[in-house]
Amino acid sequence: MKIGVRKVADTINKLMIEGVMTHSVLIVADDNASREVFRQVLKMVGFKSTEAANGEIALRLLENSAPDLVVLDLRLPRVTGAEVLQYIYNAPHLANTRVIVASAHEAMMVKLNLRDRDRYLVKPIFASLLRETALELTGSID
Protein backbone atom coordinates (compact mmCIF):
# COMPACT_ATOMS: atom_id res chain seq x y z
CA MET A 1 0.00 0.00 0.00
CA LYS A 2 1.43 3.35 -1.02
CA ILE A 3 0.81 6.15 1.45
CA GLY A 4 0.52 9.70 0.17
CA VAL A 5 3.33 12.19 0.76
CA ARG A 6 0.86 14.66 2.32
CA LYS A 7 -0.33 12.06 4.87
CA VAL A 8 3.26 11.23 5.87
CA ALA A 9 4.15 14.93 6.12
CA ASP A 10 1.07 15.60 8.28
CA THR A 11 2.00 12.72 10.59
CA ILE A 12 5.61 13.93 10.89
CA ASN A 13 4.44 17.48 11.67
CA LYS A 14 2.00 16.22 14.30
CA LEU A 15 4.71 14.13 15.99
CA MET A 16 7.17 17.03 15.95
CA ILE A 17 4.63 19.44 17.42
CA GLU A 18 3.58 17.01 20.13
CA GLY A 19 7.19 15.97 20.77
CA VAL A 20 6.12 12.42 21.54
CA MET A 21 8.08 9.21 21.31
CA THR A 22 5.31 6.95 20.11
CA HIS A 23 6.94 3.61 19.35
CA SER A 24 10.01 1.57 20.18
CA VAL A 25 12.36 0.18 17.56
CA LEU A 26 15.28 -2.23 17.77
CA ILE A 27 17.80 -1.51 15.02
CA VAL A 28 19.98 -4.54 14.24
CA ALA A 29 22.91 -3.92 11.89
CA ASP A 30 26.63 -4.54 12.13
CA ASP A 31 27.44 -1.34 10.23
CA ASN A 32 27.65 1.65 12.59
CA ALA A 33 26.76 4.14 9.86
CA SER A 34 23.61 2.22 8.89
CA ARG A 35 22.47 2.02 12.50
CA GLU A 36 23.01 5.75 12.96
CA VAL A 37 21.14 6.68 9.79
CA PHE A 38 18.21 4.39 10.66
CA ARG A 39 18.14 5.79 14.21
CA GLN A 40 18.12 9.43 13.04
CA VAL A 41 15.45 8.83 10.39
CA LEU A 42 13.14 7.02 12.81
CA LYS A 43 13.76 9.48 15.65
CA MET A 44 12.34 12.23 13.42
CA VAL A 45 8.98 10.43 13.43
CA GLY A 46 8.85 9.61 17.11
CA PHE A 47 10.60 6.27 17.50
CA LYS A 48 12.70 5.55 20.57
CA SER A 49 15.50 3.25 19.47
CA THR A 50 17.70 0.55 20.92
CA GLU A 51 20.57 -0.79 18.84
CA ALA A 52 22.34 -4.10 18.39
CA ALA A 53 25.58 -4.51 16.43
CA ASN A 54 25.11 -8.25 15.88
CA GLY A 55 22.49 -10.98 16.06
CA GLU A 56 23.65 -12.29 19.42
CA ILE A 57 23.06 -8.93 21.08
CA ALA A 58 19.71 -8.64 19.31
CA LEU A 59 18.56 -11.98 20.72
CA ARG A 60 19.57 -10.97 24.25
CA LEU A 61 17.63 -7.72 23.94
CA LEU A 62 14.59 -9.46 22.47
CA GLU A 63 14.48 -11.98 25.31
CA ASN A 64 13.50 -9.21 27.72
CA SER A 65 11.63 -6.73 25.55
CA ALA A 66 9.01 -6.51 22.84
CA PRO A 67 9.71 -3.54 20.59
CA ASP A 68 6.98 -2.31 18.29
CA LEU A 69 9.34 -2.58 15.33
CA VAL A 70 12.64 -4.27 14.45
CA VAL A 71 14.79 -3.02 11.57
CA LEU A 72 16.92 -6.04 10.75
CA ASP A 73 19.94 -6.51 8.51
CA LEU A 74 20.45 -10.08 7.30
CA ARG A 75 24.23 -10.29 7.13
CA LEU A 76 25.22 -10.20 10.78
CA PRO A 77 28.12 -11.69 12.72
CA ARG A 78 27.59 -14.47 15.28
CA VAL A 79 23.85 -14.97 14.72
CA THR A 80 22.38 -14.20 11.29
CA GLY A 81 19.48 -11.90 10.63
CA ALA A 82 17.45 -14.89 9.40
CA GLU A 83 17.98 -16.57 12.79
CA VAL A 84 16.90 -13.40 14.61
CA LEU A 85 13.82 -13.26 12.39
CA GLN A 86 12.92 -16.87 13.24
CA TYR A 87 13.29 -16.07 16.94
CA ILE A 88 10.89 -13.13 16.55
CA TYR A 89 8.38 -15.29 14.69
CA ASN A 90 8.55 -18.10 17.29
CA ALA A 91 8.54 -16.00 20.49
CA PRO A 92 4.98 -15.50 21.82
CA HIS A 93 5.87 -12.19 23.49
CA LEU A 94 6.92 -10.81 20.07
CA ALA A 95 3.70 -11.69 18.25
CA ASN A 96 2.86 -7.99 17.77
CA THR A 97 6.37 -6.90 16.79
CA ARG A 98 6.64 -5.77 13.17
CA VAL A 99 9.83 -6.31 11.16
CA ILE A 100 11.52 -4.38 8.38
CA VAL A 101 14.28 -6.47 6.84
CA ALA A 102 16.89 -4.13 5.37
CA SER A 103 19.26 -5.93 3.03
CA ALA A 104 21.25 -5.41 -0.15
CA HIS A 105 20.49 -9.00 -1.14
CA GLU A 106 17.18 -8.93 -2.99
CA ALA A 107 17.28 -12.68 -3.69
CA MET A 108 16.89 -13.40 0.04
CA MET A 109 13.40 -11.91 0.05
CA VAL A 110 11.85 -15.10 -1.34
CA LYS A 111 13.74 -17.40 1.03
CA LEU A 112 12.67 -15.61 4.21
CA ASN A 113 8.92 -16.23 4.01
CA LEU A 114 8.02 -12.96 5.75
CA ARG A 115 4.67 -12.50 7.45
CA ASP A 116 2.25 -10.38 5.41
CA ARG A 117 2.51 -7.58 7.94
CA ASP A 118 6.32 -7.33 7.66
CA ARG A 119 8.39 -5.73 4.91
CA TYR A 120 11.62 -6.32 2.99
CA LEU A 121 13.44 -3.18 1.85
CA VAL A 122 16.40 -3.41 -0.50
CA LYS A 123 19.43 -1.24 0.31
CA PRO A 124 20.15 1.51 -0.34
CA ILE A 125 16.96 2.60 1.37
CA PHE A 126 15.68 6.13 0.95
CA ALA A 127 14.91 7.84 4.26
CA SER A 128 11.39 8.62 3.09
CA LEU A 129 10.69 4.94 2.34
CA LEU A 130 11.98 3.84 5.75
CA ARG A 131 9.86 6.48 7.52
CA GLU A 132 6.75 5.64 5.50
CA THR A 133 7.14 1.90 6.04
CA ALA A 134 7.79 2.26 9.78
CA LEU A 135 4.76 4.51 10.22
CA GLU A 136 2.57 2.14 8.18
CA LEU A 137 3.63 -0.98 10.09
CA THR A 138 3.09 0.59 13.49
CA GLY A 139 -0.27 2.13 12.58
CA SER A 140 0.95 5.68 13.13
CA ILE A 141 -0.68 7.04 9.99
CA ASP A 142 -4.40 7.67 10.26
Side-chain angles (χ1 to χ4, degrees):
M1 175 177 105
K2 198 69 174 160
I3 298 169
V5 173
R6 169 78 350 228
K7 197 153 212 55
V8 172
D10 289 345
T11 301
I12 291 169
N13 287 336
K14 179 181 172 190
L15 291 169
M16 291 175 79
I17 290 167
E18 293 174 0
V20 194
M21 291 296 193
T22 58
H23 294 288
S24 59
V25 60
L26 173 61
I27 300 169
V28 187
D30 60 333
D31 178 62
N32 292 338
S34 293
R35 283 196 319 274
E36 177 64 17
V37 168
F38 293 158
R39 185 182 67 77
Q40 289 295 334
V41 167
L42 294 172
K43 180 180 178 183
M44 288 179 9
V45 288
F47 284 83
K48 182 178 180 183
S49 66
T50 305
E51 299 176 24
N54 62 57
E56 185 178 0
I57 294 170
L59 290 178
R60 274 188 284 166
L61 290 169
L62 289 167
E63 286 176 359
N64 300 308
S65 66
D68 298 305
L69 179 68
V70 174
V71 177
L72 179 63
D73 191 0
L74 290 179
R75 301 275 174 133
L76 297 170
R78 299 194 178 123
V79 175
T80 69
E83 291 171 305
V84 173
L85 185 66
Q86 281 311 113
Y87 177 81
I88 292 168
Y89 284 2
N90 292 324
H93 74 286
L94 298 173
N96 294 319
T97 297
R98 304 297 186 252
V99 180
I100 296 174
V101 174
S103 178
H105 308 283
E106 192 169 357
M108 287 297 295
M109 185 179 348
V110 176
K111 296 178 182 179
L112 288 179
N113 196 23
L114 290 178
R115 298 178 296 201
D116 289 340
R117 62 185 184 215
D118 296 330
R119 300 290 179 270
Y120 191 105
L121 301 181
V122 179
K123 292 179 184 179
I125 301 168
F126 290 106
S128 58
L129 179 60
L130 179 61
R131 278 193 306 266
E132 179 180 308
T133 304
L135 291 170
E136 173 194 349
L137 292 181
T138 57
S140 298
I141 295 181
D142 302 324

